[in-house]
Amino acid sequence: FNTHYAVIEATSISHITGRSVVGAEVFTSNNNEAWQQYPWSMKNQSDWALAMGVNRFVYHTFAHKPLGDEYRPGMTMGPYGVHWDRGQTWWPMVHAYHEYISRCSHMMQQGQAVLDILYLTPEGAPMIFTAPKDALEENGSIPDKRGYRFDGCSPLMLLERAEVINGKIVFPGGTSYEIMVLPNFKTMTPELLENITSMVEKGVRIIDTPPVKSPSLTGYPDCDNQVKVIAEMLWGTLQTPDTICERIYGEGSIFWGGKLSMDYSDSTLYPDYKSTREILERMNIQEDFVSQNNKIRFGHRSTGEKEIYFVANRTGEFQKTKCVFRATGNPELWAGVTGGSRELQRYATKNGLTTIDLEFEPYESYFVIFKRGKPSSSHVKDGHSNFQGYSEIKKLEGPWELAFDPRRGGPEKIIFDDLLDWTEHEQRGIKYYSGMVTYTKVFDAHDVNRNKSKLYLDLGVVNDMARIKLNGKDLGVVWCAPWRIDISGAIVEGENILEIEVANRWINRLLGDSQEQDANVRTVKFKDGLLGGKEYTTGRYTFTTKAAMRSFKFTEPLPSGLLGPVTIKKAVLK
């Protein structure tokens, strides 16, 4: 579903009312999920929601599992939801993704959201707020806001909550805005127009064409005359100028005329984003964030102590780009995946803007933090860049020992001479295996020259998640790019024992069980009396509800397992 407008409306309300938490039901499917999703496939949309302002995820949905772990994937919500429950193959590893979402959500609940444009909706109901199309960067069903971020606001909220401070529209406990764009509507009640007039007089800047009458019969016909009188006072005339002009009124001003005052349809009530951007630039207000290659999305929160920017690569390709932030101070990079932080070494600050060279792995995200009270200027540390490089020092080649779960149809122990996609194996128990498999390799590290550098294990290609243990030490789960993990504290000179536990998805085993060779060879009888206590013939290894299989249309298993190459890399300065 393309429901981004609902996210914009919900986050707008939270920003205006000063509520720090915005919860949303996430990853509800529409008859086609069929166990396809897992944390890596969901990261891009997770980051989109965080950047847009959603900071509490409510997953759809955790299905009840009354039949025991042997009947997996178990009961579901039919074709709906992302099957977010303990029946998933990768559930023992999902905590790493949960920790990432928790860290990012916590950060995006701090202070207030930073936005520039406030779009006022027309009076009357129902009214769904939709911003100008070009205010969003096209990205399928998850379009991103551009450098000047915006909210929608109802007339009631404006009347009841808005204040004017230093020429900005401010909502107590909420967000402030540089400019307000009124809908190109011919009507407005006298009460609302009087309020807007007072705000402009106190310093607010608005974009609008004057209304000519009231939409209400209250006080009719005097209400229409009141609107005309107030509009003529505020705009100076009801005759629309042919070109864009600025009308000074009190301490504020109105921008109107030309393409700002064209006739719009009901679906496009506002001037295009480009025109509003030109007005903001004319006001000497720079965009909040710009990436040189236009591939990076962002969100921005502000506290009394720091400016918090969430930045994320919205593509599946590596990105290296200059990013410009409307903030100053010594910048730091905080990583949501690992929880680590470090100072950035190269940046330049001028006229309230800070330019930083940033790098992003596919769909990578992190926070750039500017702490208040720390002066900043152009800063380049000799021999350092903002990101380290990686030099391969050892490739783990040769055979691997794999341990499958026989309860899921795989061999308890088998040797792979080389890393291989499970789906390419001749054994059906491997080809159609779903679950966890442990890869074990013993390797010698006498030839690893550390030179006090950090060492990393790079998995290459892995489908779909992996837990790394080295010499018995659990180093954590790798679930997203760049698919590598720090092994500096676990590797030893001499013999090392590496264990990599890999999980794939349910699709492969469900597909295998649906085929004649593996179909209807297991008899099940539930102890709790389900199905009347009668014996039930089912597939060999999996059990799920019939409704969940209606959308299952796979004919080939999905790539699975550790494909590598698995290498040890050393961190190097660029």
Side-chain angles (χ1 to χ4, degrees), residues 329-435:
N330 296 335
E332 298 177 357
L333 187 151
W334 294 13
V337 172
T338 65
S341 63
R342 59 185 173 84
E343 290 187 356
L344 291 169
Q345 302 294 331
R346 301 173 71 93
Y347 58 89
T349 300
K350 183 178 181 180
N351 298 329
L353 302 176
T354 301
T355 303
I356 310 175
D357 291 323
L358 295 179
E359 295 180 8
F360 297 83
E361 295 289 342
Y363 298 120
E364 186 178 16
S365 62
Y366 42 78
F367 292 89
V368 177
I369 309 297
F370 298 85
K371 293 186 177 179
R372 297 187 189 280
K374 288 190 174 184
S376 64
S377 59
S378 296
H379 180 82
V380 177
K381 200 168 186 178
D382 291 340
H384 291 77
S385 70
N386 288 327
F387 296 86
Q388 63 188 11
Y390 299 89
S391 173
E392 181 180 317
I393 57 176
K394 188 177 183 66
K395 186 175 182 180
L396 302 187
E397 298 179 298
W400 293 75
E401 179 181 297
L402 277 68
F404 290 76
D405 186 348
R407 295 173 300 173
R408 304 297 169 205
E412 188 171 1
K413 181 180 178 181
I414 190 171
I415 301 296
F416 278 17
D417 292 332
D418 296 292
L419 292 175
L420 176 73
D421 189 323
W422 303 344
T423 65
E424 297 177 3
H425 202 278
E426 60 184 8
Q427 291 189 29
R428 291 182 59 83
I430 297 176
K431 180 181 180 70
Y432 293 105
Y433 183 86
S434 291

Side-chain angles (χ1 to χ4, degrees), residues 10 85 126 130-131 213 218 233 284 343 362 439 441 445 490 500 518 524 562:
D85 55 61
T130 54
K213 63 179 181 180
T218 301
M233 177 179 65
N284 201 31
E343 290 187 356
Y439 290 70
K441 175 179 278 293
I500 304 176
D518 292 341
V524 173
L562 178 62

Side-chain angles (χ1 to χ4, degrees), residues 21-289:
V21 176
V22 184
E25 179 182 315
V26 297
F27 299 110
T28 308
S29 69
N30 181 29
N31 294 308
N32 59 5
E33 195 279 326
W35 292 281
Q36 295 180 74
Q37 305 306 323
Y38 61 108
W40 172 236
S41 70
M42 296 159 57
K43 187 177 189 299
N44 183 38
Q45 194 164 358
S46 298
D47 290 346
W48 171 80
L50 288 163
M52 291 292 279
V54 175
N55 51 33
R56 175 175 289 171
F57 287 19
V58 183
Y59 290 87
H60 189 287
T61 190
F62 200 108
H64 183 41
K65 300 293 179 185
L67 302 179
D69 284 342
E70 65 268 32
Y71 302 112
R72 298 176 66 193
M75 295 180 65
T76 72
M77 289 291 291
Y80 309 106
V82 74
H83 306 319
W84 206 255
D85 55 61
R86 64 184 180 90
Q88 280 285 13
T89 51
W90 39 258
W91 192 254
M93 300 184 187
V94 78
H95 65 87
Y97 168 77
H98 286 164
E99 289 170 357
Y100 168 75
I101 295 298
S102 296
R103 290 189 188 106
C104 293
S105 296
H106 172 74
M107 293 294 291
M108 297 305 285
Q109 292 173 12
Q110 305 304 303
Q112 287 80 39
V114 177
L115 302 106
D116 296 303
I117 305 169
L118 185 65
Y119 289 103
L120 186 68
T121 63
E123 294 168 291
M127 180 56 64
I128 295 176
F129 168 66
T130 54
K133 289 183 179 180
D134 65 335
L136 294 163
E137 188 75 40
E138 285 298 325
N139 191 23
S141 62
I142 53 172
D144 295 289
K145 290 183 179 179
R146 296 184 186 271
Y148 294 109
R149 291 166 64 83
F150 61 86
D151 276 337
C153 176
S154 72
L156 182 61
M157 286 290 100
L158 189 75
L159 286 168
E160 291 185 348
R161 293 185 56 81
E163 299 176 355
V164 180
I165 300 177
N166 297 327
K168 294 185 178 183
I169 301 169
V170 180
F171 292 90
T175 300
S176 62
Y177 303 87
E178 298 286 353
I179 197 166
M180 180 165 60
V181 183
L182 277 59
N184 195 351
F185 232 54
K186 300 298 183 183
T187 62
M188 185 176 291
T189 59
E191 293 79 11
L192 178 59
L193 187 54
E194 286 177 351
N195 181 268
I196 291 172
T197 301
S198 175
M199 295 176 73
V200 174
E201 194 170 20
K202 295 175 182 177
V204 166
R205 280 73 61 94
I206 67 171
I207 295 174
D208 189 24
T209 297
V212 295
K213 63 179 181 180
S214 172
S216 171
L217 293 178
T218 301
Y220 181 81
D222 290 342
C223 59
D224 289 349
N225 294 327
Q226 292 176 40
V227 169
K228 287 183 179 180
V229 169
I230 300 171
E232 286 183 334
M233 177 179 65
L234 182 57
W235 274 267
T237 177
L238 299 183
Q239 197 69 30
T240 304
D242 294 331
T243 58
I244 297 175
C245 66
E246 180 181 8
R247 154 83 169 166
I248 304 298
Y249 186 84
E251 297 180 17
S253 61
I254 307 102
F255 296 91
W256 70 309
K259 58 184 178 181
L260 294 178
S261 302
M262 295 169 59
D263 289 331
Y264 302 102
S265 66
D266 291 340
S267 60
T268 54
L269 292 172
Y270 309 100
D272 59 42
Y273 170 83
K274 181 181 179 181
S275 300
T276 303
R277 183 185 66 194
E278 291 171 356
I279 298 299
L280 285 164
E281 290 173 348
R282 182 171 167 178
M283 293 164 53
N284 201 31
I285 298 169
Q286 302 300 315
E287 288 180 285
D288 192 12
F289 172 85

